[in-house]
Amino acid sequence: MRVGVLSLQGAFREHLSVLDSLGVSCCKVTRPEHLDGLDSIILPGGESSAMVRIAAGTGFFPALRERIGAGLPVFGTCAGLILLADRLTDDSLDGFDRLGGLDVTVARNAYGRQRESFSAPVQVTGLDDAFEATFIRAPQILSIGNGVEVLSEYADVPVLVRQGNIWGGSFHPELGIDTRIHEEFLHSLGATV
């Protein structure tokens, strides 16, 4: 199993560290040719507007969108969720390539500014005990399509969803010491960790 982590900006180092701690072969991904040989990819939290600007003109997002459409499993957290969402409530990323593919509507930074960041326990399908989810300028999932499964909610709002090979989360599962969300994603791929 080889997992790539989008490493343009954001919390990619933390995802790489979690994967490494689980004994998973992982690598940084920044260019289309880095997609070769991957079994899945994680899109980290960070600044979605910075990510789309850095990727602009490289051909990377169109290449990744094609791979995801062909079945490459992907997990987008926070900014990664924004990149995967089919619909955004604002036009801040208009004119830039995004990925889409996840039938959700997302509001960027809906949980507040940086100083309003928080952690809260959430129940996650497949986990026995609550997961302490960290929300940092987090996007909010406002609506989901028929094929989207809700895996976790916070205050009756979806915060972790799955649609086929695409996972999306509003929070940062890579922060802290609990690796169970990553483990669940990897188990969905058939990996043993």
Side-chain angles (χ1 to χ4, degrees), residues 111-118 136-137:
Y111 284 101
R113 297 179 179 270
Q114 187 80 20
R115 67 178 174 268
E116 297 165 301
S117 300
F118 66 96
I136 302 173
R137 295 177 58 219

Side-chain angles (χ1 to χ4, degrees), residues 81 87 102-106 140-153 157-163 168:
L81 168 64
R87 296 167 301 281
L102 183 58
D103 189 6
V104 297
T105 302
V106 168
Q140 189 173 70
I141 300 170
L142 300 179
S143 69
I144 61 172
N146 289 334
V148 178
E149 177 186 5
V150 176
L151 301 175
S152 183
E153 294 182 338
V157 175
V159 294
L160 183 63
V161 297
R162 172 175 56 201
Q163 180 182 7

Side-chain angles (χ1 to χ4, degrees), residues 39-170:
D39 296 300
S40 67
I41 188 166
I42 293 176
L43 313 178
E47 181 50 57
S48 57
S49 59
M51 291 179 188
V52 297
R53 284 171 173 79
I54 292 167
T58 66
F60 179 68
F61 279 4
L64 179 54
R65 183 172 40 252
E66 184 178 317
R67 297 283 179 104
I68 293 168
L72 179 70
V74 59
F75 183 13
T77 65
C78 199
L81 168 64
I82 293 167
L83 297 176
L84 289 169
D86 279 348
R87 296 167 301 281
L88 300 178
T89 59
D90 67 15
D91 60 1
S92 59
L93 302 182
D94 283 359
F96 291 96
D97 267 333
R98 287 187 313 108
L99 300 169
L102 183 58
D103 189 6
V104 297
T105 302
V106 168
R108 295 176 70 236
N109 304 324
Y111 284 101
R113 297 179 179 270
Q114 187 80 20
R115 67 178 174 268
E116 297 165 301
S117 300
F118 66 96
S119 292
V122 296
Q123 294 298 321
V124 178
T125 300
L127 303 184
D128 292 332
D129 300 317
F131 183 90
E132 193 68 19
T134 301
F135 295 82
I136 302 173
R137 295 177 58 219
Q140 189 173 70
I141 300 170
L142 300 179
S143 69
I144 61 172
N146 289 334
V148 178
E149 177 186 5
V150 176
L151 301 175
S152 183
E153 294 182 338
Y154 171 74
D156 298 322
V157 175
V159 294
L160 183 63
V161 297
R162 172 175 56 201
Q163 180 182 7
N165 60 310
I166 303 173
W167 287 47
S170 295

Side-chain angles (χ1 to χ4, degrees), residues 23-35:
V24 175
S25 174
C26 55
C27 62
K28 293 179 182 178
V29 176
T30 58
R31 303 173 53 84
E33 58 267 25
H34 296 162
L35 297 170

